[in-house]
Amino acid sequence: MTDDNQQAAPSSENAADAPHHRTIKSFVMRAGRTTEGQERALRELGPRFLVPFRAEVLDTTATFGRQAPVVLEIGFGMGDATAQIAQTLSDTDFLACEVHEPGVGALLKKIGEHDITNIRILQHDAVEVMEHMIAEGSLDGVHIYFPDPWHKKRHHKRRLIQPTFVDQLVSRLKPGGYLHLATDWEPYAQQMLEVLSANTALRNTAGSYADKPAYRPLTKFENRGLRLGHGVWDLVFRKA
């Protein structure tokens, strides 16, 4: 990830004449050291649990080796919550997107330690995954927990939860499928609520913000924030 806008490189065939399209990234590629244990997990478990990005619709039944509800998680960080949710909801398959290699390695390590079989990982930009690999009307749910709030006003355009992206998420959900967001930044929670409420294909399962669903564990960071009096806001909307 980078804080600057990315340029899509034109093909060499028409490089001189092609316009330069600027794509705003909602994430920044943070530098981070991959530990020896994470590297071992990438090496040993990656071939089984990592799904390579391809510009074609993913066959989730073949990918997971069974037919089950499928939930997409976008940006799982170090994978603690993802691993716990997958163990709690063992009858559901989780397709998890994260671009940071230490986080991918950490989740793979947890998969090995706890013998978790219902997670597959895409180490790729979730926007492109949604566009190319997820079929319309195929998801039972989407989890997006604590996305970068981009605090400064001039960076709000980089926030992941925008009307266009929510439209795309909704198109990938089955009727009755749900969208579960969580943030600890109240101004972003307010924007999330406004954007989701404005989508006529979604209905709010709560009057405003939702109670934290039992399947979502409290992270160490979240627990520390709650002890300091910081708020956390969950939103759960369903597709009509």
Side-chain angles (χ1 to χ4, degrees):
M1 291 179 244
T2 174
D3 193 46
D4 299 318
N5 291 346
Q6 300 290 309
Q7 272 187 258
S11 65
S12 57
E13 184 180 358
N14 299 308
D17 301 320
H20 293 276
H21 299 290
R22 297 170 66 82
T23 302
I24 294 172
K25 293 292 187 183
S26 63
F27 56 83
V28 171
M29 283 297 285
R30 300 185 299 272
R33 189 178 74 86
T34 306
T35 67
E36 184 178 337
Q38 292 165 1
E39 289 178 351
R40 185 183 309 112
L42 284 160
R43 191 168 58 248
E44 296 177 357
L45 298 174
R48 179 180 175 189
F49 293 100
L50 285 177
V51 177
F53 174 79
R54 294 192 179 94
E56 59 186 43
V57 172
L58 181 68
D59 182 342
T60 55
T61 301
T63 297
F64 288 94
R66 66 174 183 175
Q67 195 163 16
V70 177
V71 169
L72 176 71
E73 180 168 3
I74 296 175
F76 56 76
M78 299 306 285
D80 295 301
T82 307
Q84 291 183 58
I85 293 171
Q87 290 174 283
T88 299
L89 305 178
S90 59
D91 291 335
T92 298
D93 290 332
F94 291 88
L95 192 61
C97 289
E98 178 57 67
V99 294
H100 299 104
E101 186 161 288
V104 172
L107 180 53
L108 284 169
K109 189 169 179 287
K110 292 177 180 70
I111 286 171
E113 289 170 347
H114 300 287
D115 194 23
I116 303 171
T117 60
N118 58 330
I119 295 175
R120 296 295 183 274
I121 300 171
L122 272 153
Q123 190 177 352
H124 197 80
D125 181 357
V127 174
E128 293 188 355
V129 170
M130 286 286 301
E131 182 178 354
H132 297 290
M133 297 188 72
I134 308 299
E136 292 192 4
S138 65
L139 296 175
D140 294 87
V142 176
H143 295 172
I144 306 175
Y145 300 148
F146 306 100
D148 194 327
W150 292 102
H151 304 86
K152 295 180 181 178
K153 187 173 182 180
R154 70 176 183 271
H155 290 155
H156 286 184
K157 63 187 176 182
R158 298 181 184 274
R159 287 177 173 175
L160 183 63
I161 305 305
Q162 307 283 356
T164 300
F165 185 61
V166 170
D167 286 344
Q168 190 176 37
L169 289 174
V170 170
S171 74
R172 269 54 179 179
L173 286 174
K174 296 177 181 177
Y178 70 93
L179 179 57
H180 180 193
L181 312 181
T183 181
D184 60 352
W185 185 248
E186 188 172 13
Y188 197 8
Q190 293 167 348
Q191 178 187 326
M192 289 176 171
L193 184 60
E194 290 172 5
V195 171
L196 269 60
S197 297
N199 190 300
T200 57
L202 293 173
R203 63 172 181 83
N204 195 343
T205 64
S208 178
Y209 300 108
D211 293 333
K212 183 185 75 65
Y215 60 76
R216 185 177 77 75
L218 292 174
T219 64
K220 292 178 182 178
F221 173 81
E222 189 176 356
N223 270 317
R224 184 179 64 186
L226 290 171
R227 286 196 300 271
L228 295 172
H230 301 166
V232 174
W233 293 267
D234 283 79
L235 301 94
V236 182
F237 280 66
R238 285 196 179 273
K239 182 175 179 178

